Amino acid sequence: MNAGVIAVLLAAGRGTRMGALTDTMPKPLLPLQGRPILEHILLGLRTAGIHKAVIVVGYRGDQIERYFGDGAALGMRLTYRRQSIADGTARAVQLARAAADDQPFLVSWGDVVIEPSQYARLVDTYRRHNADALLSLNRVEDPWRGAAVYIDPDDRVTQLIEKPPRGTSSTPWNNAGIFICAPIVWRYIDALGPSERGEYELPQAITNMIEDKRDVRAMALDGFWSDIGTPEDLAVAQTAYTLVERFGSGVGRGRSSGADASVTNHEASRIEELVARFTQQHGQRPEFVARAPGRVNLLGEHTDYNGLPVLPMAIDRSVLMAASRRRDRLVTASNVDPRFADCCFEISDQITADVAGSWTNYVKAAAQGLVGNGTALKSGATLLIDGNIPAGAGLSSSSALVVASALTLLRANDATIDKMALAEMLPRAERYVGTLSGGMDQAISLLGQADHALRIDFFPLNVRPVPLPAGYGFIVADSLVQAEKAGIAKDAYNLRVIECQLACRVLEQALADERPKIHLSTLGDLVRLFPDRPLPSFFAPVLARLPDEPLPLARVAAVLAVDTEELRRILAIPTSLPDSFAIVRRLRHVLSEAQRVNQAETALRENDIATLGTLMNASHFSCRDDYEISCPELEELVELTRGAGAVGARLTGAGFGGCTVSLVADDRVSDVLAALDHGFYTRRSADPQACRFLFKARAGAGIVELTEDAATTPAD
């Protein structure tokens, strides 16, 4: 590929074939400072070992030629071809044919922007398969705006449908606009006729190759992807992604609130649709959109409320909340999902909760928490909410809703709270819904970093990023068993919180000789009081006082030499909980799990993947046997993924259903997904595409500011 050719398609076109695009409304590359974008693409090509390129230009192509010249300043050899009319991508590629010299060549749409490293991945993938063509893919919910691409478990493309009607595709893959083609493609390009739009299109040539059983493969892109091929897409890019931060050029007045509010292309599309729906529903555009991601916990289960560390990452599923401030203190909230009823409430010192399990309680929790924290909320807000985090799957959809609501109400009232302070406050706020949760979910949603997990410690809150390994991904698989902490799993979750509090009381007694009048607010206090002592060493003193079996509260009270009802009152133990407390088992899990988090952080920093996988497996066994939060479906998923090649696998989240998380090498991802599809989801008549996900770590929550019009920074 070093001698390969790239045709960078910048054709703005003239006439009517570009639809709404005309001489006065061209493709927006040049008004959007197209030169930095093209420079960005050329940088990616150079890192992939491609030093020879043909740039096919149309509208204002002379400016591009003057700026880049022969490419010597970039370490490349550039030539140019002019496309006088918008005759389609295949005809544009034909203009570069002479320079291709019968070698494989790479084609990149000039209005598609990706992370530069992805060009090298494409070249490496093409070499590995030695295919007739390689397509790049981008994951979307409904690929109606581009080409829907269907692939088999070996990444072979089985079908490509250009611009399918909305809602008709059963694939999440969209043609991302970057191809590598073998010389065989010329035969198919030469045989093309015009499409229904009157253009000669490269995807049609690829479709014909697929029909002839040629070897056409696909590779999913990682990181940022943006198609800014229309003025509408340009508006989304400006308001949702902050191109000025990504490219360093003075474009766009719609900015995200902080660089950490990194919006993926998929989220940009969701924001576009949410803004349009809000405008239609309320007769005006929203002022801004809050974004809060879900999370997957890699290690450290049920340790956060014990004051001990966790190791989660933010994921690319999120809650989006379009909002406009109100002059009164009313909050009106509706959800794009019709299963969730609208709500309206007034901000006050005491906000009445809805029925247990209602989604609107999470919005109210944020409002009540801010008011209780002393934040003056004089303005309410009109809200429209869209979430694509599976509910009850253990991926923190509820806390993401609390975080998005808090950011929205702060923005609507021109109030600010430091993110660390907000991450400490929101766990207390979420207890409004009746769950004794810790602080992991809110902290990672607010503070997550791309390509990193966060090591999070509590009381006080402290975070530090931990790099995730290259060449590996995390597959999350839904057990299809919902486990909502505010619903049917609430009592089981709260019981374990109380069992750990009882363990603190027993440890206070057991350690009294070493530390007279010792008080443990949480098990995490052991680290502060005994900094040089390994956490698992605190297990033996409790085992010496209590048997390793569930006990009635009266038995525990007798060991502590306190009255049973007094103990119930001190720890606020509801009478609704079963009178059976497995203190020894819970303590064994929590202490060993915190130790595993410490070891996992070290393993990640040393790139010791085998140790990380072993720790994940050990965590699952502990969650299953000592914390007793697994279920048959979770066990089946763990066994399937391990059997298909996962390095490590475990349940994640509160348990009692929800999801598993598996550490998988990139070259085994297709094997693991196939095992899940055929071994679990197909047997249950479930859509695999909606149930298992390959996640990369994303940035934390933020505010996306919206503007009424797109930037019009002119080209030089």
Side-chain angles (χ1 to χ4, degrees), residues 161-505:
I161 303 175
E162 185 75 11
K163 291 184 171 52
R166 282 194 181 194
T168 62
S169 299
S170 58
T171 175
W173 297 115
N174 180 59
N175 169 27
I178 303 170
F179 303 78
I180 300 180
C181 300
I184 186 67
V185 76
W186 295 119
R187 183 208 306 172
Y188 291 89
I189 291 176
D190 291 343
L192 279 180
S195 69
E196 292 181 357
R197 297 189 300 169
E199 297 183 13
Y200 297 81
E201 299 174 347
L202 182 58
Q204 182 58 53
I206 301 294
T207 297
N208 296 341
M209 292 175 67
I210 296 168
E211 292 175 352
D212 282 353
K213 308 300 182 185
R214 306 298 311 188
D215 188 8
V216 178
R217 304 283 182 128
M219 188 198 86
L221 295 172
D222 291 335
F224 174 64
W225 179 95
S226 182
D227 177 1
I228 48 176
T230 70
E232 292 79 12
D233 294 331
L234 170 58
V236 174
Q238 289 173 322
T239 59
Y241 190 68
T242 318
L243 281 166
V244 65
E245 292 173 0
R246 182 59 68 151
F247 298 114
S249 60
V251 302
R253 283 171 283 173
R255 299 180 56 99
S256 60
S257 179
D260 58 350
S262 181
V263 175
T264 66
N265 179 74
H266 182 210
E267 283 177 327
S269 297
R270 289 174 57 212
I271 288 171
E272 177 185 25
E273 293 187 10
L274 188 63
V275 168
R277 186 159 180 166
F278 185 103
T279 304
Q280 181 182 27
Q281 186 169 319
H282 297 290
Q284 62 178 5
R285 280 170 54 87
E287 297 176 45
F288 58 90
V289 175
R291 165 193 166 272
R295 64 97 187 97
V296 58
N297 191 24
L298 305 182
L299 213 66
E301 219 58 79
H302 288 266
T303 51
D304 57 345
Y305 55 75
N306 283 296
L308 290 166
V310 293
L311 192 67
M313 71 180 196
I315 61 176
D316 52 1
R317 292 296 185 101
S318 59
V319 169
L320 300 177
M321 185 174 289
S324 290
R325 77 183 76 199
R326 296 174 60 97
R327 295 181 180 179
D328 54 27
R329 300 185 77 191
L330 288 179
V331 175
T332 64
S334 57
N335 199 303
V336 298
D337 189 331
R339 294 176 299 172
F340 302 105
D342 296 352
C343 84
C344 179
F345 66 92
E346 186 172 10
I347 298 172
S348 64
D349 292 340
Q350 294 294 327
I351 301 172
T352 302
D354 289 337
V355 296
S358 171
W359 74 279
T360 55
N361 281 337
Y362 293 100
V363 181
K364 291 183 174 183
Q368 186 70 76
L370 290 170
V371 170
N373 193 56
T375 304
L377 298 182
K378 298 181 179 179
S379 297
T382 300
L383 313 176
L384 180 61
I385 300 159
D386 170 47
N388 66 350
I389 310 169
L395 300 178
S396 194
S397 58
S398 55
S399 292
L401 181 54
V402 174
V403 168
S405 300
L407 292 177
T408 295
L409 291 172
L410 287 169
R411 168 65 178 78
N413 286 273
D414 296 321
T416 58
I417 296 179
D418 177 79
K419 275 194 172 184
M420 286 289 287
L422 191 60
E424 288 192 290
M425 184 270 286
L426 287 181
R428 299 191 299 272
E430 193 167 330
R431 294 183 181 183
Y432 176 92
V433 304
T435 304
L436 304 178
S437 62
M440 170 180 64
D441 297 350
Q442 300 83 3
I444 188 62
S445 185
L446 280 163
L447 305 169
Q449 292 190 21
D451 303 320
H452 290 73
L454 287 189
R455 156 68 184 255
I456 306 176
D457 291 278
F458 302 93
F459 315 135
L461 184 69
N462 184 51
V463 303
R464 58 177 178 260
V466 183
L468 293 173
Y472 291 83
F474 293 96
I475 292 178
V476 172
D478 192 342
S479 69
L480 307 179
V481 178
Q482 288 203 348
E484 299 179 5
K485 288 189 294 184
I488 60 175
K490 183 174 72 173
D491 283 350
Y493 182 95
N494 289 345
L495 174 61
R496 281 148 181 80
V497 176
I498 290 168
E499 287 169 329
C500 292
Q501 292 173 346
L502 288 169
C504 286
R505 304 290 80 75

Side-chain angles (χ1 to χ4, degrees), residues 498-672:
I498 290 168
E499 287 169 329
C500 292
Q501 292 173 346
L502 288 169
C504 286
R505 304 290 80 75
V506 178
L507 270 169
E508 288 173 349
Q509 182 189 80
L511 299 172
D513 291 343
E514 299 179 51
R515 286 289 184 112
K517 298 183 180 180
I518 183 175
H519 175 68
L520 301 176
S521 297
T522 67
L523 293 171
D525 287 340
L526 294 169
V527 177
R528 176 178 55 84
L529 295 171
F530 303 91
D532 299 323
R533 186 167 168 178
L535 279 171
S537 69
F538 294 103
F539 175 69
V542 173
L543 186 60
R545 285 165 171 76
L546 296 175
D548 187 358
E549 62 187 37
L551 302 171
L553 188 62
R555 177 78 178 276
V556 181
V559 171
L560 296 173
V562 299
D563 178 74
T564 302
E565 291 308 312
E566 179 65 10
L567 183 60
R568 185 182 296 277
R569 184 190 64 80
I570 292 172
L571 297 183
I573 302 174
T575 56
S576 61
L577 294 181
D579 190 22
S580 180
F581 300 88
I583 299 170
V584 169
R585 296 176 191 174
R586 308 306 185 237
L587 180 66
R588 180 165 49 215
H589 166 75
V590 171
L591 297 180
S592 63
E593 185 77 348
Q595 186 87 331
R596 284 187 285 270
V597 172
N598 294 333
Q599 295 166 337
E601 181 183 7
T602 300
L604 280 170
R605 296 192 186 281
E606 296 177 354
N607 203 34
D608 185 351
I609 308 304
T611 294
L612 178 61
T614 299
L615 292 168
M616 291 177 68
N617 292 335
S619 172
H620 179 76
F621 298 142
S622 182
C623 287
R624 179 190 66 193
D625 300 333
D626 282 339
Y627 230 64
E628 298 178 285
I629 55 174
S630 189
C631 66
E633 292 82 0
L634 289 170
E635 294 304 311
E636 188 175 348
L637 287 172
V638 165
E639 289 303 315
L640 277 170
T641 52
R642 287 178 186 158
V647 181
R650 58 182 292 275
L651 65 83
T652 185
F656 315 109
C659 290
T660 62
V661 58
S662 304
L663 173 64
V664 183
D666 287 348
D667 60 1
R668 299 304 299 272
V669 165
S670 60
D671 295 336
V672 173

